[in-house]
Amino acid sequence: MATQADAVAWAEGGWKQSPFARTIPGVGFGVDVDGQYGLQCFDFANGYALFLGLARFTGLYAKDVWTSADGSWTRSQDPQVGGIAVYSGALNGGPGHITGPIISFRSRNDFTSVDQNWVNSSPDVSVPAQVN
């Protein structure tokens, strides 16, 4: 089982060794698990889940993650290092957002995560993984 230190190490660059790490011309280097729509936040979260040995999330939108999670994740109102955060459909024009691993935590509304497809909230090919 992965530790919090393993999660942080994956988030801070270990993901670059993922079998799903890809370069998309004109966009950059990131994780593309499903090979569709470029570097999406859902892909980064799924790459992280697979690194942990857990099932992939399914569904159409990030906001729907909790309806598709296989029970291996625990839902909490307080983010934890190594956890993920899921934003509702009120964010990003409807689909919501799912972060990659949380790497530091100060409070419910003040944490640092590594995200993909977050800057400019692009619905398309988007933005490679970066600390937010």
Side-chain angles (χ1 to χ4, degrees):
M1 178 166 208
T3 65
Q4 286 183 332
D6 293 333
V8 170
W10 189 89
E12 291 181 333
W15 63 266
K16 294 175 183 176
Q17 305 307 313
S18 165
F20 304 106
R22 303 206 181 349
T23 297
I24 296 181
V27 176
F29 189 60
V31 175
D32 186 10
V33 172
D34 62 10
Q36 298 179 21
Y37 309 109
L39 307 176
Q40 296 295 304
C41 62
F42 218 95
D43 286 312
F44 202 71
N46 272 327
Y48 178 52
L50 293 170
F51 163 75
L52 295 174
L54 304 174
R56 289 172 48 174
F57 296 108
T58 60
L60 189 56
Y61 298 113
K63 68 179 182 181
D64 301 325
V65 160
W66 294 122
T67 61
S68 70
D70 69 353
S72 51
W73 293 91
T74 301
R75 195 172 186 165
S76 171
Q77 294 296 318
D78 295 311
Q80 298 176 22
V81 171
I84 58 172
V86 179
Y87 294 91
S88 76
L91 181 71
N92 201 16
H97 179 70
I98 183 170
T99 70
I102 294 170
I103 58 174
S104 70
F105 168 78
R106 289 164 292 287
S107 72
R108 181 177 181 193
N109 296 314
D110 186 11
F111 60 88
T112 303
S113 59
V114 178
D115 298 71
Q116 187 167 272
N117 193 25
W118 183 238
V119 178
N120 299 325
S121 303
S122 170
D124 290 320
V125 174
S126 91
V127 179
Q130 59 190 325
V131 174
N132 288 300

